[in-house]
């Protein structure tokens, strides 16, 4: 471990917040489980009001916990959203935090302080299980997938990791446990490239007849390596025994998450559990196939709900429910067609994955970043509350530091604010303002949203998403106009100027 970080970690004192001390029966520091869905929209969980989907396990936690209506990721795609959640640093301050290829070097550098470091410094055992998408190894394209891949999650505070390196649609399609590929046969080494195909390896673009499980949407990528009858992004060779089975991903990662909880039941733990659902390619396990009536996208939402149920059941069985905080949320907004012919569009019916909001994944409009969020901590949080406070993933690190009554090292998590009272349902307001990025920056300030003028495209034909870009400044009143239909910028020029100014000042920090 980096020496400076090591020093900082072991000089931070952690004690217990009054919320923890209040009850003599639960003197222990609470365990924390973050379940981070992938591309799951506000409307994709039935507790948020859509009648077209049924997610009973999530709903049970929402009904016994606190449900947020104004919770935000700070970016509308995975890598920057996850980066900010773990570091408390706005991803847009760096220019290398866009959607990472599967061979990206680790984007969070070992010397950076993370949420996992925080918990580790307070004596927690920490784990990252499931989707990672934050790079592994030192430099892009230089990892040896056949050896120990370093640096990795262990260098940023995770004692244990069981990961998909990037996304379901990116190679390498293998699990990486504690920085080594699982089930790797040394006689069949893995090679990965995002630059050049491997001679002799068939490509999806040349062999549509080999795409037996799912075809890519026309002109939409996913046309390079073929793994398990599905075209992927990137080239890969070898490692046949190590390949994941797409329909078993949810089972495999859930099983590892459950095992981590069971093995650590006797001392505080932090589990960061990134599901693969509902990212493409959506290949539900046969027990969920056809169950939603909405095709694979709906089916993997049920699968996500099942994973949540397995985590809750395990906590219950281990007697940990009272002393565990569970957060359910998503990395970014929803997308229906994200590049495979999986009938998500045709079978959507009346379902609105984005709920009452406009846009979706990739968008500067609200649905890009307004994500579902539930916080469940029975005994400590009043059951069935709903909060409209402006909260964001980026504040988890400062807020958990406050819960554990410790301070973050200087320069750690510079954009994170302590909003513990909002996360616990005691403060109805939360942040004063929040900056979000979809490439184009926006600022949320009280009930206002200002989107900076941009030359970016207004619409993505491929995914059928309104991207929220406009050459004109945009200002919306989100209380009266959740759907961002009426641009009030021409009417409230002073407000636009004031918000633009705040953004400029933030950029200069
Ligand atoms: C895009 C992919 C999309 C998805 C996304 C990342 C194409 C055409 N589209 O480039 O399918 O993988 O990246 O999603 O390849 S995220 O949720 O991990 O950010
Ligand atoms: Ca995502």
């Amino acid at each position: 471990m980096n020496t400076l970080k090591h020093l900082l970690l072991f000089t931070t004192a952690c004690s217990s917040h009054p919320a923890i001390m209040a009850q003599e029966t639960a003197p222990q520091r609470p365990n924390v489980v973050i379940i981070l869905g992938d591309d799951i929209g506000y409307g994709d969980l039935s507790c948020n009001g859509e009648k077209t989907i049924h997610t009973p396990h999530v709903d049970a936690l929402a009904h016994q916990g606190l449900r947020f209506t104004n919770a935000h990721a700070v970016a509308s795609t995975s890598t920057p959203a996850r980066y900010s959640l773990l570091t408390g640093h706005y991803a847009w301050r760096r220019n290398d935090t866009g959607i990472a290829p599967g061979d990206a070097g680790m984007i969070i550098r070992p010397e950076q302080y993370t949420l996992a470091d925080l918990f580790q410094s307070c004596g927690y055992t920490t784990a990252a299980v499931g989707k990672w998408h934050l790079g592994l190894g030192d430099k892009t394209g230089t990892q040896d997938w056949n050896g120990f891949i370093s640096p990795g999650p262990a260098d940023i505070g995770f004692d244990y990791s069981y990961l998909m390196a990037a996304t379901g649609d990116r190679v390498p399609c293998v699990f990486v446990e504690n920085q080594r590929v699982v089930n790797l046969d040394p006689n069949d080494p893995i090679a990965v490239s995002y630059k050049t195909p491997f001679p002799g390896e068939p490509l999806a673009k040349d062999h549509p007849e080999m795409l037996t499980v799912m075809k890519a949407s026309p002109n939409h990528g996913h046309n390079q390596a073929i793994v398990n009858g599905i075209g992927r992004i990137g080239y890969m060779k070898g490692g046949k025994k190590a390949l994941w089975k797409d329909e078993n991903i949810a089972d495999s990662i859930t099983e590892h998450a459950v095992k981590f909880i069971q093995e650590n039941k006797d001392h505080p733990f932090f589990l960061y559990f990134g599901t693969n659902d509902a990212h493409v390619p959506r290949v539900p396990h046969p027990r969920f196939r056809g169950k939603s009536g909405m095709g694979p996208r709906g089916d993997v939402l049920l699968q996500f709900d099942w994973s949540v149920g397995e985590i809750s059941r395990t906590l219950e069985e281990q007697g940990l429910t009272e002393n565990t905080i569970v957060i359910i949320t998503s990395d970014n907004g929803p997308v229906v067609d994200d590049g495979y012919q999986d009938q998500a569009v045709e079978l959507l019916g009346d379902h609105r994955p984005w709920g009452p909001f406009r846009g979706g994944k990739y968008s500067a409009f609200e649905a890009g970043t307004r994500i579902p969020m539930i916080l469940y901590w029975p005994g400590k949080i009043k059951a069935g509350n709903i909060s409209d406070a402006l909260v964001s993933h980026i504040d988890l690190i400062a807020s958990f530091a406050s819960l554990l009554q410790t301070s973050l090292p200087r320069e750690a998590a510079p954009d994170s604010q302590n909003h513990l009272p909002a996360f616990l349902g005691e403060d109805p307001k939360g942040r004063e303002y929040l900056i979000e990025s979809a490439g184009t920056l926006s600022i949320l300030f009280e009930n206002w949203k200002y989107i900076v003028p941009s030359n970016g495209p207004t619409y993505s034909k491929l995914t059928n998403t309104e991207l929220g870009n406009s050459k004109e400044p945009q200002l919306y009143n989100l209380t009266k106009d959740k759907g961002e239909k009426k641009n009030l910028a021409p009417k409230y020029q002073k407000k636009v100027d004031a918000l633009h100014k705040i953004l400029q000042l933030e950029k200069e920090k």
Side-chain angles (χ1 to χ4, degrees):
M1 188 193 295
N2 174 286
T3 330
L4 179 65
K5 192 156 100 174
H6 191 89
L7 268 174
L8 290 170
L9 290 181
F10 291 98
T11 49
T12 356
C14 306
S15 59
S16 300
H17 185 270
I20 304 172
M21 297 305 278
Q23 263 192 4
E24 276 176 23
T25 45
Q28 226 190 326
R29 279 154 287 171
N31 307 305
V32 176
V33 178
I34 297 180
I35 305 177
L36 186 63
D38 198 355
D39 302 351
I40 293 184
Y42 187 88
D44 279 327
L45 304 177
S46 40
C47 57
N48 283 344
E50 295 300 313
K51 304 269 184 272
T52 37
I53 183 89
H54 189 45
T55 51
H57 294 109
V58 172
D59 290 12
L61 299 194
H63 294 142
Q64 296 161 51
L66 176 61
R67 181 167 70 80
F68 294 91
T69 63
N70 196 11
H72 297 257
V74 294
S76 60
T77 52
S78 156
T79 302
R82 287 160 201 262
Y83 170 85
S84 294
L85 186 157
L86 286 176
T87 62
H89 183 226
Y90 279 129
W92 53 260
R93 295 197 190 280
R94 282 175 55 167
N95 59 12
D96 57 351
T97 54
I99 299 172
D103 67 345
M106 192 161 73
I107 292 162
I108 302 175
R109 298 314 297 172
E111 57 278 10
Q112 276 183 279
Y113 193 81
T114 69
L115 188 56
D117 284 321
L118 168 71
F119 285 111
Q120 217 177 41
S121 74
C122 290
Y124 283 62
T125 305
T126 56
V129 175
K131 177 174 175 178
W132 184 239
H133 210 188
L134 289 165
L136 292 170
D138 192 24
K139 291 205 174 67
T140 299
T142 63
Q143 307 79 352
D144 176 7
W145 296 97
N146 304 291
F148 181 64
I149 307 160
S150 172
D155 300 286
I156 53 170
F158 289 104
D159 296 310
Y160 173 73
S161 57
Y162 182 80
L163 301 171
M164 304 166 70
T167 58
D169 56 352
R170 283 173 175 72
V171 302
C173 301
V174 296
F175 292 115
V176 183
E177 187 171 33
N178 292 331
Q179 300 170 217
R180 286 181 193 276
V181 171
V182 178
N183 283 337
L184 186 69
D185 175 357
N187 297 319
D188 181 25
I190 295 186
V192 171
S193 170
Y194 274 72
K195 286 199 179 120
T196 32
F198 295 101
E201 291 295 311
L203 299 182
K205 68 179 173 61
D206 305 326
H207 289 278
E209 80 287 354
M210 290 175 74
L211 304 177
T212 48
V213 173
M214 203 173 285
K215 301 209 183 315
S217 305
N219 313 316
H220 202 132
H222 300 133
N223 58 9
Q224 298 175 330
I226 303 170
V227 180
N228 304 337
I230 302 173
R232 316 271 170 165
I233 308 171
Y235 306 105
M236 177 180 178
K237 189 181 148 186
K240 292 276 178 294
K241 252 183 71 190
L243 296 178
W244 65 48
K245 291 196 171 52
D246 291 82
E247 67 267 35
N248 289 344
I249 291 176
D251 280 8
S252 178
I253 59 178
T254 305
E255 198 177 287
H256 283 80
V258 162
K259 192 157 165 262
F260 173 78
I261 295 173
Q262 289 167 339
E263 285 173 356
N264 290 283
K265 64 179 171 34
D266 295 328
H267 49 258
F269 61 80
F270 166 57
L271 169 63
Y272 169 81
F273 179 40
T275 70
N276 171 51
D277 298 322
H279 199 277
V280 294
R282 302 166 182 133
V283 186
H285 188 273
R287 31 180 220 292
F288 301 104
R289 213 175 282 158
K291 292 285 162 17
S292 68
M294 277 188 260
R297 185 174 189 281
D299 297 346
V300 300
L301 289 172
L302 304 186
Q303 186 165 267
F304 172 80
D305 185 63
W306 168 83
S307 295
V308 171
E310 288 303 287
I311 302 284
S312 322
R313 190 165 63 85
T314 307
L315 293 172
E316 194 129 321
E317 279 170 6
Q318 302 297 329
L320 299 171
T321 305
E322 291 286 312
N323 198 38
T324 303
I325 298 174
V326 180
I327 294 177
I328 302 171
T329 186
S330 175
D331 65 341
N332 53 253
V335 57
V336 182
D337 179 356
D338 209 12
Y340 288 100
Q341 297 185 34
D342 60 6
Q343 291 205 292
V345 175
E346 295 83 341
L347 298 176
L348 190 65
D350 293 333
H351 182 56
R352 297 185 307 165
W354 41 83
F357 305 106
R358 185 171 178 182
K361 178 177 180 179
Y362 310 111
S363 179
F365 285 134
E366 274 300 273
T369 44
R370 176 94 62 129
I371 35 73
M373 185 155 170
I374 290 150
L375 195 146
Y376 171 75
W377 191 13
K380 297 296 184 322
I381 285 189
K382 266 208 243 139
N385 268 9
I386 298 170
S387 169
D388 300 330
L390 176 57
V391 292
S392 169
H393 294 159
I394 201 165
D395 294 330
L396 289 173
I397 181 166
S399 304
F400 276 121
S402 164
L403 182 77
L404 296 166
Q405 295 212 318
T406 185
S407 43
L408 296 169
R410 259 186 63 214
E411 312 203 348
D415 297 307
S416 187
Q417 299 174 358
N418 170 20
H419 286 290
L420 184 65
F423 283 119
L424 298 181
E426 293 156 4
D427 164 24
K429 185 169 179 293
R431 264 188 176 251
E432 185 181 31
Y433 65 86
L434 177 72
I435 299 173
E436 307 177 311
S437 173
T440 302
L441 294 184
S442 319
I443 178 167
L444 288 161
F445 190 104
E446 293 169 349
N447 52 329
W448 296 96
K449 161 122 173 236
Y450 164 63
I451 308 177
V452 173
S454 154
N455 289 325
T458 55
Y459 183 71
S460 160
K461 252 203 207 153
L462 290 175
T463 58
N464 186 21
T465 311
E466 291 185 291
L467 295 172
N469 296 314
S470 163
K471 292 190 176 56
E472 303 301 324
Q474 295 174 80
L475 180 73
Y476 298 101
N477 180 334
L478 292 178
T479 311
K480 294 189 180 149
D481 179 22
K482 277 193 180 30
E484 292 166 287
K485 290 281 183 246
K486 194 165 169 26
N487 182 7
L488 297 174
K491 195 166 162 198
Y492 297 111
Q493 187 57 49
K494 274 203 185 123
K495 183 112 230 156
V496 168
D497 293 344
L499 295 180
H500 196 86
K501 182 86 188 287
I502 299 177
L503 252 167
Q504 282 312 115
L505 290 173
E506 276 289 345
K507 279 169 85 173
E508 284 158 22
K509 270 188 190 170

